[in-house]
Amino acid sequence: MATLGGYLNKKVLIVTADSRILVGTLAACDQNTNLVLSNAKERHIRTPDDSEPSVEVDIGLYLVRGDNVCSIGLVDEALDDSINWSEVKGSVIGGIKHI
């Protein structure tokens, strides 16, 4: 059985079922993949045709229900800190379709 215990107290990036991108320190998790992030931020990445800059919104302590987690991964902190997120552009990530 896979476990997220090795990710505790490390910076992670989560993509949610509704296409949100969350970054923060994994403070807690359980067997249902419910996740608690501390120092969390939500990244709003704009499309290339959007003149507005991309933004990171501080959301603090944040709980993500396990059934809303699409993926989670460790973040290379040095690389992440070197990126100017306001200049990043990208395609929209589609959400999950339940049938």
Side-chain angles (χ1 to χ4, degrees):
M1 179 173 148
T3 179
L4 294 173
Y7 289 16
L8 286 173
N9 301 312
K10 294 182 181 166
K11 190 172 185 178
V12 296
L13 183 141
I14 299 168
V15 178
T16 66
D18 57 353
S19 305
R20 291 182 301 142
I21 300 170
L22 306 170
V23 180
T25 303
L26 184 63
C29 59
D30 66 11
Q31 69 276 7
N32 296 315
T33 319
N34 294 312
L35 308 173
V36 178
L37 295 178
S38 61
N39 304 315
K41 296 180 181 189
E42 182 174 358
R43 290 186 177 153
H44 296 273
I45 306 299
R46 306 289 184 186
T47 58
D49 60 342
D50 191 340
S51 62
E52 293 292 317
S54 296
V55 294
E56 284 188 312
V57 178
D58 290 323
I59 54 178
L61 188 64
Y62 201 76
L63 171 66
V64 182
R65 283 182 44 146
D67 60 355
N68 198 27
V69 175
C70 279
S71 66
I72 180 172
L74 289 175
V75 172
D76 179 330
E77 292 191 53
L79 177 62
D80 191 64
D81 291 343
S82 73
I83 296 171
N84 180 351
W85 289 103
S86 66
E87 296 178 357
V88 172
K89 300 287 184 173
S91 299
V92 175
I93 300 172
I96 290 178
K97 186 176 189 178
H98 297 282
I99 54 174

